[in-house]
Amino acid sequence: MSRKEEKDMQELVIHEMTVRPGKRASFDIPLPSLYTHAPVPMTVHVIHGRREGPRLLVCAAVHGDEINGIEIIRRLIRSPMLKGLRGTLIAVPIVNVYGFVRQSRYLPDRRDLNRCFPGTDKGSLAARLAHLFTHELLTVCTHGIDLHTGAIHRDNLPQIRTAFEAADCNEALARAFGAPVILNADLRDGSLRAEAAERGIPFLVYEGGEALRYSETVIRAGVRGVFRVMRALGMVRSVPGKSRSPAEAVVARSTQWVRSPQSGLLRALVPLGAKVSSGEVLGVVEDPFGKNEEQVTATCSGIVIGRNNLPLVTEGDALFHIARFGEAGPAAEAVEQFQVRIEEEMEAFPAEPPIAD
């Protein structure tokens, strides 16, 4: 093989942008304009190492109001840990630009982008965006991490969602991330994760925090988690902060939402990460005038991994998301160790001034 052939083989081309080995590039992929004719760019950051290795795609804001992942990517691409990177990091801070500028989960036509993959170039706006992302970015990567939060007014404990049966190495990467809880979650038709699985690309979904809200704990855990995956893939040698291994993550058997027994005002009595038993009182819903109240009780034993933060509830609203385990004790210990270590790292390794929760 000639020197020129070797050079051509190592270069990376994305949307007509060529990135040479050992170089960084930031560029915009143009999306359909607004009806005002204002341009809409999707910004892509590429860090292309000198040595061959995996091509990891990290993306955020597939749902436009989920902003923790944007800050995770900002810290990720600024980190000195990427010096000497083996392989390639492709980072997309805001996939759903339309939803982001409207502070909305959805696109302007109310479609959920994460139900539209792989999309088509002749379909709806969501289908066209999904098609562009799939063919310009997903097809060039070997692994991926999709950064999400809970929906509006819903807070998620940091967790990894993956389907172990979709690719052989998903479980190993899920454990490497270092979140306290792993959900072996079924693939949803039209999701980015499902499309990646269809193409044989191991893809993790990191969930943590609430839409339109920053959480320093979730952000810091996300940055560390991405670097842990990169280390497991051989892309970097170390991760920020202390070098000790994270607490062993536990895999949930299933999850269950506890719903509101009546309409009214919710007083939540248990926090995220709490270990609960079947029948335990999780909160109380009362009418605004204090005449009637009903208890919200756990329908199963496990760990609270999601919680509604809005006190105004309607009968049937999802209030507490409980993950079920063979034994809840190890799961509770994993959550506790995770929270302690994140707090220690905030004090001992302030890579940046922490965002006040």
Side-chain angles (χ1 to χ4, degrees):
M1 180 182 297
S2 69
R3 289 181 179 272
K4 184 179 185 305
E5 287 173 333
E6 183 177 357
K7 174 184 175 182
D8 290 342
M9 192 175 111
Q10 292 176 344
E11 289 178 340
L12 177 65
V13 179
I14 298 177
H15 192 68
E16 301 180 352
M17 173 65 71
T18 300
V19 186
R20 298 176 61 187
K23 300 295 183 179
R24 288 176 174 238
S26 295
F27 55 92
D28 293 336
I29 297 178
L31 305 178
S33 66
L34 301 181
Y35 47 73
T36 60
H37 282 214
V40 180
M42 181 169 64
T43 300
V44 179
H45 301 281
V46 177
I47 304 171
H48 195 32
R50 292 185 180 277
R51 295 178 293 163
E52 289 293 327
R55 293 177 179 174
L56 176 66
L57 172 63
V58 182
C59 60
V62 168
H63 295 133
D65 58 358
E66 299 182 357
I67 64 174
N68 277 327
I70 301 173
E71 175 64 10
I72 290 171
I73 289 178
R74 186 189 72 83
R75 297 187 189 186
L76 178 67
I77 62 177
R78 289 164 57 97
S79 174
M81 308 300 297
L82 294 177
K83 186 177 181 180
L85 176 71
R86 178 176 175 267
T88 306
L89 174 64
I90 303 168
V92 186
I94 307 172
V95 178
N96 181 1
V97 184
Y98 304 96
F100 176 73
V101 298
R102 291 173 169 80
Q103 301 180 21
S104 171
R105 177 183 180 91
Y106 306 105
L107 284 102
D109 59 2
R110 297 294 298 170
R111 283 183 169 86
D112 184 337
L113 178 60
N114 211 27
R115 297 295 179 270
C116 295
F117 287 93
T120 170
D121 61 354
K122 300 187 184 302
S124 66
L125 175 61
R128 293 174 188 226
L129 177 52
H131 178 268
L132 183 146
F133 188 91
T134 298
H135 289 274
E136 294 283 1
L137 298 167
L138 185 63
T139 54
V140 302
C141 76
T142 61
H143 301 78
I145 303 174
D146 189 12
L147 306 172
H148 284 262
T149 76
I152 191 76
H153 303 309
R154 288 187 184 176
D155 200 359
N156 278 344
L157 184 76
Q159 59 197 259
I160 285 292
R161 298 183 181 184
T162 189
F164 296 160
E165 68 280 1
D168 292 340
C169 61
N170 266 14
E171 182 173 359
L173 294 181
R175 292 187 181 279
F177 193 98
V181 173
I182 300 172
L183 303 187
N184 186 12
D186 292 336
L187 296 170
R188 291 193 174 185
D189 290 342
S191 68
L192 174 56
R193 186 163 65 97
E195 180 59 24
E198 183 71 20
R199 295 171 181 271
I201 302 171
F203 225 82
L204 304 177
V205 170
Y206 173 59
E207 289 268 359
E210 179 184 353
L212 296 177
R213 296 287 184 272
Y214 273 153
S215 166
E216 179 66 21
T217 296
V218 169
I219 292 166
R220 192 168 292 245
V223 175
R224 296 260 308 176
V226 173
F227 272 113
R228 289 186 190 280
V229 170
M230 294 177 73
R231 184 173 63 180
L233 291 171
M235 299 177 69
V236 296
R237 293 184 177 181
S238 59
V239 299
K242 294 185 177 180
S243 59
R244 61 180 176 172
S245 300
E248 181 69 21
V250 287
V251 180
R253 296 190 305 173
S254 62
T255 66
Q256 193 171 103
W257 275 101
V258 178
R259 299 186 176 273
S260 181
Q262 69 171 16
S263 301
L265 297 171
L266 169 67
R267 302 198 312 273
L269 303 180
V270 297
L272 279 178
K275 176 184 175 183
V276 297
S277 301
S278 180
E280 181 177 340
V281 177
L282 307 179
V284 176
V285 178
E286 63 180 4
D287 71 77
F289 311 105
K291 295 181 179 180
N292 181 47
E293 67 177 35
E294 288 194 41
Q295 294 181 336
V296 181
T297 57
T299 52
C300 62
S301 299
I303 302 295
V304 177
I305 61 168
R307 199 183 76 163
N308 174 34
N309 285 336
L310 184 66
L312 310 177
V313 300
T314 303
E315 182 177 336
D317 280 355
L319 303 183
F320 299 92
H321 196 193
I322 301 176
R324 302 174 62 193
F325 304 88
E327 295 182 10
E333 183 179 352
V335 171
E336 183 178 356
Q337 289 185 24
F338 166 81
Q339 292 170 336
V340 168
R341 291 187 179 184
I342 287 294
E343 290 176 4
E344 289 177 349
E345 289 168 6
M346 284 187 194
E347 296 175 359
F349 296 92
E352 296 197 19
I355 297 172
D357 289 339

